Amino acid sequence: MADTLSKKQRSLLMSKIKSKDTTPEKVVRSLLHRLGYRFRLHRKDLPGKPDIVLPKYKTIIDVRGCFWHCHEGCKVSHMPNSNKSYWHTKLNKNVERDRINKQKLEELGWTVIVIWECETQDLKALSETLKNIKEK
């Protein structure tokens, strides 16, 4: 199926997609704050500039968009039908970068927790996941 938007319209739409301070990230940060955690954001001295860093617990929380990071089994994560070669390369690079950054962080002694965009819809379950950080 061909793209229904012009190049200019598509460019404008894509330029509005944020990489920091996304809605799912804000949901996680809000819950963490309510649970009493203190954290830092996007630390440049760590591999991949992680979304949320909890230094006291030596824990990283990586909030990933289901589409952009190819969440397996998620209905939001799918390969677009148009320009398949571009999207295949783009999304696979994201997945590989995530894998490498996680490995580097773990080698530095950090625990990495991945929270998917779709998981931010169930606040009760997400809250339970976040409460368990103190126990690790």
Side-chain angles (χ1 to χ4, degrees):
M1 181 173 168
D3 197 349
T4 58
L5 300 176
S6 69
K7 279 192 166 194
K8 190 173 184 177
Q9 289 170 320
R10 177 64 60 200
S11 179
L12 180 63
L13 182 68
M14 296 300 284
S15 73
K16 293 179 189 258
I17 297 172
K18 301 187 295 183
S19 62
K20 290 182 182 178
D21 301 325
T22 63
T23 300
E25 196 177 314
K26 288 178 181 179
V27 167
V28 173
R29 291 180 348 206
S30 177
L31 267 176
L32 283 170
H33 194 42
R34 277 188 257 154
L35 292 169
Y37 291 102
R38 296 299 170 252
F39 49 86
R40 299 285 169 255
L41 302 175
H42 313 293
R43 277 192 32 191
K44 293 176 183 157
D45 62 327
L46 293 172
K49 295 186 231 167
D51 297 324
I52 301 168
V53 181
L54 295 108
K56 180 177 179 180
Y57 303 100
K58 195 98 170 151
T59 298
I60 301 290
I61 298 177
D62 190 12
V63 183
R64 294 184 185 167
C66 295
F67 171 75
W68 295 104
H69 298 271
C70 300
H71 185 198
E72 287 185 39
C74 180
K75 64 182 178 183
V76 178
S77 178
H78 66 282
M79 192 63 65
N81 289 325
S82 62
N83 206 356
K84 286 185 180 186
S85 63
Y86 167 78
W87 285 110
H88 183 72
T89 303
K90 166 76 175 147
L91 298 177
N92 284 338
K93 276 185 190 176
N94 290 348
V95 171
E96 182 62 14
R97 186 180 60 243
D98 293 340
R99 187 190 65 73
I100 290 168
N101 287 334
K102 183 177 187 223
Q103 182 181 349
K104 287 179 181 177
L105 289 163
E106 288 172 344
E107 287 171 0
L108 292 171
W110 291 89
T111 299
V112 179
I113 298 171
V114 175
I115 296 178
W116 292 97
E117 176 183 12
C118 62
E119 295 173 330
T120 63
Q121 304 301 312
D122 184 352
L123 296 182
K124 187 174 181 180
L126 180 57
S127 184
E128 288 303 314
T129 300
L130 297 176
K131 282 179 188 175
N132 293 332
I133 292 171
K134 291 178 182 177
E135 297 170 9
K136 292 181 182 179

